[in-house]
Amino acid sequence: MLLQRAYDTEWTAFVYKAPGSRQVELGLAGTGAQLLVWLFGQEWHLDLEVKVHQWYPICITWSGGYQRLRLYINGTMHSANATEQQQHLAQNGTLTLGVSHYVDANGAVQVENGKNLLGEISQFRMWAREWSEEELRRRKCADGDVVRWDLRQWKHDCPPQPDDKLRCESLPAMTLTPPTVSPEVGPTQRVPAHLPNMSTTGEPLDLNLTAVQADVFLRVNLSLIMTGNHTKPEPIIEEWLREKLETTGTTLVLNLIVVQVDDCSRYSCAFHVQDYSTKTIEEIIIFVNATLMAAHENGSIVIETTHVKIKRILPQNCVEQITPTIYGEYFWPETFPQVIQVMGCRKPNWQRAFRLCKLHIETDATSWSDPDMTNCSPMSIPDLENITVTTDNADEVVGIIEDMVNVQLANTTLIPPAELSTVVEKLNQVVDVGAAQPAVSNKVFHIFANILISETDVTLVAGSILTMTDRMGNTMDFPGELLSLTAPSLALSMIDVHLDRFGGLTFGVSSLTSFQEPNVFVNQSFEGKPISGANVTISLPSALQNFLPPGERNKTRIQFQFYGTQDLFQDPQTTSTSTHSGLSLNSYIVSASINGSHVSNLNDGDRVVVTLRHPKAKQPDDKVLCVFWDFQHNGGQGGWSSMGCETRSISPYQTSCLCEHLTHFAVLLDVSREPISEADSQILTVISYMGCGLSSIFLGITLLTYLAFGKLRGDYPSKILINLSAALLGLSMFFLLDSWLSSFSNYSLCIVTAAVLHYFLLASFAWMGLEAVHMYFALVKVFNTYVPSYILKFCVVGWGVPLLLVCLVLAIDKDAYGSTAPTQSAMALHSTDPFCWLQNHIFFYVTVVAFVLLILLGNTFVFVLVLVQIRRMGAKKTSVNSRGTLQDLRAVASLTVLLGLTWLMGFFSFGPGRVVMMYLFTICNTLQGFLVFLFHCLMKENVRKQWRMHVCCGALRLSEHSDWSRTMMPGGRCTKDHLINTDSVNTSSLRNISESSTESNSHKAAFPD
């Protein structure tokens, strides 16, 4: 109870008296400097001062076995021994709070004035057994099972005053042996179900606190026949049982089960009966049997019992239990069967949590049901400090932490450092108590995984997590010899090996993304080579048998760990931007360890072989270094070291490490290049994607226009333009899709993506070169020459030569393609994302740089010839006006786009003007497709007229019988009057340039299809 005095006068806290007696059986009273305690009519005087205007938590306990009374006040214990006398309370007495009383001859409760408490009382509760001092400290919010602090159990004249400042945590709970019963009866006794009325500091009222006796529980098995019109027998039978058995008000029907026997009318039932009357066992059984055997009619429904079997059962109480939950840690005291225990919520403290001590019909035994925490609010991570981890509750504590972490990361993207430290410290306690069972460890593993794939900074707790994982793997108890635990980006395998049968071990992991659980491969032999499809492989030689310490049953634990993220391995050399070291981690991390042994100084022929696959392919001039995690590096913070490891490169995607010791292994990549600034990189990326997206749209419109309108594709220049547009569209589309496809981290998919992108790049330049060849034929070389299958031959060259080059690369070395950062190549469009592209420098310079340079040099030569012809035509004009000059500039721009001369800027992206040239290169080349549409669709008069004839409507629509439509000859050849196109320069206009220069109409070349 809680007590506070308002005035320094003699006071009474509570008294319990037998009927018709003025002697106090149980009570507490006092003055300013002394306390008076009554128990079984005996008095104890204690020199203790209870000051005014101060709340005091007071608790009285009694041990019948030790004949010991204890008084706790403000957490301080005071003991007293009892004398040999009657040790039970009188029956049918009365209890009052705040006043003393007596019962007169008429049975009325009268107040004894003069010793009333002038103050306040709160949280008065009584329990059915003694609690230890440890239990008193834990059970601060438990409500009583004999007397509860519940308004429904108290009768009072003055309304209670709520006080939000009071906390049940400040009050040790109180206990007392059951009234009228000697202590030897034990905790299985109960208070009658109908609790008596008790008074507070108002008028004392009746209290019939009868002798405590246990509820009677019966198991009833019943066979019956039910006839009549019914579809659901269970509700009808349950209604019948309750109607017949619960009429007395002291009997309850529980846990009914109904099973149909053979036809629609025969049923077998089983249920429990709880009786809390004062009848004897025989009387209760006779009553139940007679009630059930009587026939029952309800309208058309007739129930006739054919067999009844009644057996008394003695279910045990639900034992006390501490349950850590996400709502807090709750202590549930020992509770009688079918009693709902009520506890105060930790948050908010005025709400209540409920838990039933459930009696099960299947076993006739009791157990706690799941607590009902509906009214309680969940805790936050800082509240974990209030939870004590034990071997019994470790699984529940880990479950709470897992729920809290999931809730936290669902609301935010990270866990703050202080809360992260709390989580790791509590998980450390779980491992410390020896609770590293597979189920618990799997939860811990998933907690780590969820934290690592979030944006949480784990630098401060990285060492603790690595050490904890190692301890967990060494102490875990599991059946069999092998167990593997996996979580997103994490894997842990433990093998118990026999000392005399150890022939080596090989461990491999395949992981596609950090959000998926990896696949684990374990081979109990030394492979010495990578496992197919594995990202990491580590092989332990048989020579490690000399390092295996003898363990239990001559076995030793070896464990492997895999980390698909480097968050736990933060070395300033690889993470700090200020060092400019050029080092970066280019592999996953794998480790091996032997429990109780330190492995080092292995011979050259017996070294550990670690093979690591690179997410990012290394370049020929990159330096690859095998390293291990040295926990003593960087002042104890840890760091990468290459001591004792030899590096052997297998391919651009794989590196093998031969090490003389065991620890965490990885591969560092030293790029040591001069990248552009992060701001420029981001801007160039945006320009690249926007430009390629825009070009893809308008190249699609260009292709659709020329393919839909037959009159536009009748001549050879238009057919060449269609093929060039198709190649440029493929290049733009695959550039846009490249980063997305490479994000799948699929080796084969990346090779295919890089090869297709390579193909469309070569095809685009091939058709730019063919465009120049056609211009050269039309302008200089070929006159009156018949070339059969002209366009078909162009297609063989334009599409076949690039295909041949790509196939040769794949045949020679398919690993030449892979994932990289495209900014390393001056010929690649810019992107900051992972990019599937040509990796091998030899293939790159031969099949890309040399091929493109050769075509661009030829195109430049043709471009110069065309400019000379345009100049000659201008000199022959009678007058040169501004419109002619504008047409010449438009022709130059059109030729520059068509021949791809803007790609030459890629060869000048170095030196002080490197960044400027990269901007010009990116803008011009990503917009090449749009410029093709601009000059060869939007600005061509014949294309615009086709749009007006077939697309537009109303006043903008052009009739198909207009003069323009009759100027086209069959087969798509232009008449002489329309050979010169002044809107833009294409190969048709070049023919006219040739005619003008030779002054002969017969000099038109014939290139039949």
Side-chain angles (χ1 to χ4, degrees):
M1 63 179 292
L2 285 173
L3 182 141
Q4 177 178 252
R5 299 171 60 213
Y7 297 95
D8 193 8
T9 60
E10 190 174 356
W11 52 274
T12 299
F14 67 92
V15 294
Y16 173 78
K17 293 183 179 181
S21 173
R22 288 181 176 269
Q23 181 182 2
V24 178
E25 297 273 330
L26 172 68
L28 175 66
T31 61
Q34 192 176 59
L35 290 182
L36 178 61
V37 180
W38 290 275
L39 180 60
F40 308 134
Q42 183 179 354
E43 297 182 10
W44 284 271
H45 294 267
L46 302 172
D47 294 330
L48 296 172
E49 182 180 5
V50 179
K51 299 180 180 179
V52 298
H53 304 301
Q54 181 178 338
W55 282 102
Y56 285 86
I58 300 173
C59 178
I60 302 173
T61 66
W62 165 255
S63 171
Y66 291 99
Q67 298 291 297
R68 179 183 62 206
L69 173 76
R70 282 181 173 176
L71 172 68
Y72 297 87
I73 182 167
N74 269 352
T76 303
M77 182 187 69
H78 304 272
S79 298
N81 294 325
T83 59
E84 292 293 336
Q85 61 178 22
Q86 182 181 3
Q87 294 183 356
H88 64 270
L89 300 179
Q91 300 184 24
N92 301 320
T94 54
L95 171 68
T96 56
L97 296 184
V99 296
S100 182
H101 70 281
Y102 67 92
V103 180
D104 59 19
N106 297 323
V109 179
Q110 304 293 336
V111 175
E112 292 181 345
N113 293 318
K115 297 182 180 180
N116 297 2
L117 173 66
L118 300 179
E120 298 170 288
I121 291 178
S122 179
Q123 295 289 325
F124 184 89
R125 296 163 292 175
M126 295 176 64
W127 284 267
R129 70 178 185 87
E130 182 195 25
W131 283 359
S132 66
E133 187 174 354
E134 175 64 22
E135 289 174 318
L136 292 175
R137 285 195 294 267
R138 296 201 310 254
R139 305 180 182 188
K140 297 174 181 178
C141 294
D143 212 345
D145 56 7
V146 175
V147 176
R148 299 180 181 179
W149 192 245
D150 190 334
L151 293 181
R152 294 172 295 181
Q153 297 186 11
W154 297 85
K155 185 174 182 180
H156 49 81
D157 292 337
C158 57
Q161 298 295 323
D163 190 345
D164 293 336
K165 297 180 181 179
L166 291 178
R167 296 290 184 268
C168 61
E169 287 85 354
S170 63
L171 173 66
M174 296 165 290
T175 177
L176 188 65
T177 51
T180 74
V181 178
S182 62
E184 286 76 11
V185 176
T188 60
Q189 299 166 345
R190 64 167 182 86
V191 179
H194 293 289
L195 294 171
N197 290 328
M198 303 182 184
S199 66
T200 59
T201 52
E203 178 184 357
L205 297 173
D206 293 339
L207 170 62
N208 294 320
L209 195 58
T210 60
V212 176
Q213 70 179 55
D215 289 351
V216 175
F217 287 92
L218 304 175
R219 179 186 177 90
V220 181
N221 291 90
L222 181 68
S223 298
L224 58 85
I225 299 175
M226 184 169 62
T227 59
N229 186 15
H230 64 274
T231 56
K232 295 183 179 180
E234 291 85 354
I236 298 174
I237 295 175
E238 183 176 5
E239 182 182 1
W240 165 59
L241 292 174
R242 294 189 184 280
E243 178 183 340
K244 296 299 183 180
L245 295 178
E246 295 184 356
T247 55
T248 62
T250 59
T251 304
L252 296 175
V253 176
L254 309 169
N255 307 322
L256 173 64
I257 296 178
V258 179
V259 178
Q260 185 174 339
V261 179
D262 52 2
D263 53 39
C264 297
S265 60
R266 294 182 178 273
Y267 297 92
S268 176
C269 307
F271 59 92
H272 288 137
V273 173
Q274 179 183 6
D275 188 280
Y276 44 84
S277 67
T278 58
K279 298 177 182 179
T280 64
I281 301 299
E282 292 74 13
E283 291 174 335
I284 297 173
I285 293 177
I286 291 173
F287 164 74
V288 173
N289 185 75
T291 303
L292 295 178
M293 292 302 296
H296 172 74
E297 295 186 12
N298 184 7
S300 63
I301 304 296
V302 177
I303 298 177
E304 181 181 356
T305 303
T306 59
H307 176 73
V308 176
K309 181 180 178 181
I310 303 175
K311 180 181 70 171
R312 184 188 181 187
I313 59 175
L314 299 173
Q316 297 296 312
N317 297 345
C318 291
V319 297
E320 61 186 42
Q321 189 179 72
I322 299 176
T323 57
T325 70
I326 195 173
Y327 302 96
E329 186 177 65
Y330 287 80
F331 175 82
W332 302 98
E334 184 173 347
T335 303
F336 302 117
Q338 288 300 128
V339 171
I340 297 177
Q341 189 60 250
V342 183
M343 297 289 293
C345 295
R346 294 185 64 86
K347 292 181 180 180
N349 56 10
W350 61 85
Q351 293 290 358
R352 293 293 181 265
F354 307 94
R355 198 178 191 189
L356 172 65
C357 179
K358 174 69 175 175
L359 175 62
H360 300 280
I361 189 63
E362 296 83 4
T363 61
D364 295 335
T366 55
S367 67
W368 285 110
S369 62
D370 293 334
D372 179 5
M373 316 298 293
T374 306
N375 299 326
C376 304
S377 300
M379 297 190 305
S380 56
I381 291 179
D383 295 323
L384 287 173
E385 297 179 356
N386 300 323
I387 296 180
T388 302
V389 180
T390 65
T391 305
D392 296 332
N393 70 2
D395 190 14
E396 296 172 332
V397 172
V398 174
I400 293 170
I401 297 175
E402 187 176 27
D403 291 340
M404 288 184 174
V405 169
N406 291 339
V407 170
Q408 176 77 18
L409 294 179
N411 297 328
T412 61
T413 58
L414 54 83
I415 300 176
E419 296 184 5
L420 180 62
S421 298
T422 301
V423 168
V424 174
E425 175 60 29
K426 195 58 63 174
L427 293 177
N428 255 319
Q429 295 177 14
V430 171
V431 179
D432 288 340
V433 299
Q437 300 301 316
V440 177
S441 300
N442 190 52
K443 290 182 181 179
V444 173
F445 227 47
H446 278 80
I447 293 173
F448 289 158
N450 291 336
I451 294 174
L452 291 175
I453 62 178
S454 69
E455 298 179 6
T456 303
D457 183 4
V458 298
T459 305
L460 297 178
V461 297
S464 297
I465 293 177
L466 292 174
T467 304
M468 189 192 318
T469 304
D470 192 66
R471 285 168 37 225
M472 191 166 58
N474 287 332
T475 59
M476 193 180 309
D477 186 20
F478 55 87
E481 295 183 349
L482 171 65
L483 177 67
S484 295
L485 302 179
T486 59
S489 75
L490 298 176
L492 172 65
S493 288
M494 297 144 288
I495 304 100
D496 291 332
V497 299
H498 292 271
L499 270 66
D500 54 350
R501 299 204 302 263
F502 181 74
L505 276 175
T506 300
F507 169 79
V509 174
S510 173
S511 178
L512 296 178
T513 67
S514 60
F515 298 98
Q516 295 180 350
E517 294 190 7
N519 297 319
V520 176
F521 313 95
V522 178
N523 190 346
Q524 298 201 29
S525 64
F526 178 79
E527 295 291 338
K529 58 183 180 180
I531 297 177
S532 177
N535 296 96
V536 298
T537 303
I538 180 169
S539 297
L540 306 184
S542 58
L544 289 183
Q545 185 178 19
N546 300 326
F547 294 88
L548 300 179
E552 185 179 356
R553 297 187 302 276
N554 205 31
K555 291 183 178 180
T556 298
R557 174 72 54 85
I558 297 179
Q559 64 166 300
F560 298 97
Q561 299 175 19
F562 166 80
Y563 297 91
T565 173
Q566 58 176 311
D567 291 350
L568 295 174
F569 305 90
Q570 297 294 309
D571 189 335
Q573 279 191 306
T574 60
T575 59
S576 176
T577 57
S578 60
T579 59
H580 301 291
S581 64
L583 294 174
S584 62
L585 198 66
N586 195 26
S587 75
Y588 296 129
I589 298 103
V590 63
S591 76
S593 63
I594 300 176
N595 187 15
S597 179
H598 175 70
V599 178
S600 61
N601 300 321
L602 293 173
N603 297 327
D604 289 347
D606 298 324
R607 288 183 293 181
V608 177
V609 180
V610 184
T611 305
L612 301 164
R613 176 169 288 276
H614 311 312
K616 173 183 175 182
K618 64 183 181 65
Q619 303 300 313
D621 55 348
D622 289 341
K623 296 179 182 179
V624 179
L625 193 64
C626 290
V627 292
F628 73 95
W629 187 254
D630 186 353
F631 285 89
Q632 305 304 319
H633 207 49
N634 294 323
Q637 294 183 1
W640 294 112
S641 173
S642 61
M643 185 178 300
C645 287
E646 178 185 346
T647 304
R648 292 185 179 179
S649 179
I650 299 178
S651 71
Y653 277 95
Q654 279 188 330
T655 296
S656 180
C657 306
L658 279 69
C659 299
E660 62 178 25
H661 51 73
L662 293 181
T663 183
H664 301 77
F665 300 101
V667 170
L668 289 181
L669 180 67
D670 185 3
V671 293
S672 299
R673 295 183 175 92
E674 297 180 2
I676 62 176
S677 67
E678 182 68 21
D680 287 329
S681 180
Q682 294 293 336
I683 294 173
L684 288 171
T685 299
V686 173
I687 293 174
S688 295
Y689 283 113
M690 291 181 62
C692 286
L694 192 66
S695 291
S696 298
I697 295 172
F698 286 100
L699 282 170
I701 296 175
T702 301
L703 281 173
L704 185 63
T705 298
Y706 276 86
L707 292 175
F709 305 141
K711 291 184 179 181
L712 296 179
R713 64 175 185 270
D715 56 1
Y716 302 137
S718 298
K719 294 178 180 178
I720 296 175
L721 180 65
I722 290 173
N723 284 274
L724 174 61
S725 298
L728 288 174
L729 179 60
L731 177 63
S732 297
M733 290 298 295
F734 270 88
F735 174 78
L736 293 173
L737 295 173
D738 195 304
S739 295
W740 176 66
L741 294 173
S742 65
S743 66
F744 290 98
S745 300
N746 186 296
Y747 178 64
S748 300
L749 179 62
C750 190
I751 290 178
V752 172
T753 302
V756 173
L757 184 64
H758 186 202
Y759 172 73
F760 277 112
L761 177 66
L762 297 180
S764 298
F765 278 97
W767 281 104
M768 294 178 201
L770 292 173
E771 186 77 60
V773 170
H774 180 73
M775 291 182 186
Y776 179 75
F777 283 167
L779 182 64
V780 178
K781 187 69 177 173
V782 180
F783 298 94
N784 295 327
T785 301
Y786 175 78
V787 180
S789 303
Y790 182 70
I791 292 298
L792 179 60
K793 292 177 180 178
F794 267 37
C795 288
V796 171
V797 175
W799 297 110
V801 172
L803 180 61
L804 178 63
L805 291 175
V806 172
C807 290
L808 285 174
V809 173
L810 289 172
I812 296 172
D813 183 10
K814 69 178 188 307
D815 287 332
Y817 295 107
S819 179
T820 186
T823 52
Q824 295 173 1
S825 170
M827 300 308 299
L829 301 180
H830 195 89
S831 172
T832 59
D833 298 324
F835 202 84
C836 293
W837 179 235
L838 194 61
Q839 304 300 310
N840 190 289
H841 278 198
I842 297 177
F843 287 116
F844 174 75
Y845 285 116
V846 172
T847 64
V848 176
V849 177
F851 183 84
V852 170
L853 184 60
L854 181 64
I855 290 178
L856 290 179
L857 289 177
N859 289 6
T860 303
F861 173 73
V862 173
F863 178 73
V864 172
L865 290 180
V866 172
L867 291 183
V868 172
Q869 292 294 340
I870 292 176
R871 182 64 179 171
R872 288 176 180 175
M873 288 181 60
K876 292 182 179 182
K877 293 181 179 180
T878 55
S879 63
V880 180
N881 51 33
S882 60
R883 176 173 175 79
T885 302
L886 182 61
Q887 290 176 347
D888 291 343
L889 292 176
R890 187 181 301 170
V892 171
S894 175
L895 282 174
T896 302
V897 172
L898 211 59
L899 300 179
L901 299 182
T902 55
W903 288 82
L904 286 169
M905 287 183 287
F907 293 93
F908 300 97
S909 298
F910 58 86
R914 175 171 178 259
V915 175
V916 175
M917 292 302 297
M918 289 185 70
Y919 272 96
L920 292 175
F921 174 84
T922 303
I923 293 172
C924 294
N925 292 319
T926 57
L927 293 176
Q928 184 178 8
F930 170 73
L931 295 176
V932 168
F933 167 81
L934 178 66
F935 289 116
H936 296 276
C937 278
L938 192 61
M939 299 180 66
K940 287 190 68 172
E941 182 181 358
N942 57 342
V943 174
R944 293 199 305 269
K945 288 182 177 179
Q946 284 291 318
W947 284 344
R948 291 180 60 187
M949 290 171 58
H950 300 285
V951 179
C952 297
C953 58
L956 296 176
R957 184 176 181 84
L958 186 65
S959 173
E960 296 187 12
H961 303 288
S962 63
D963 293 337
W964 177 86
S965 64
R966 291 191 294 270
T967 62
M968 297 298 294
M969 296 177 62
R973 291 180 174 82
C974 298
T975 63
K976 180 181 177 182
D977 294 337
H978 293 85
L979 286 173
I980 300 177
N981 184 350
T982 57
D983 293 331
S984 64
V985 178
N986 54 28
T987 52
S988 296
S989 64
L990 289 175
R991 294 199 195 104
N992 294 286
I993 295 173
S994 176
E995 293 168 8
S996 300
S997 61
T998 59
E999 297 182 357
S1000 173
N1001 293 334
S1002 63
H1003 287 175
K1004 289 184 291 182
F1007 305 118
D1009 218 352

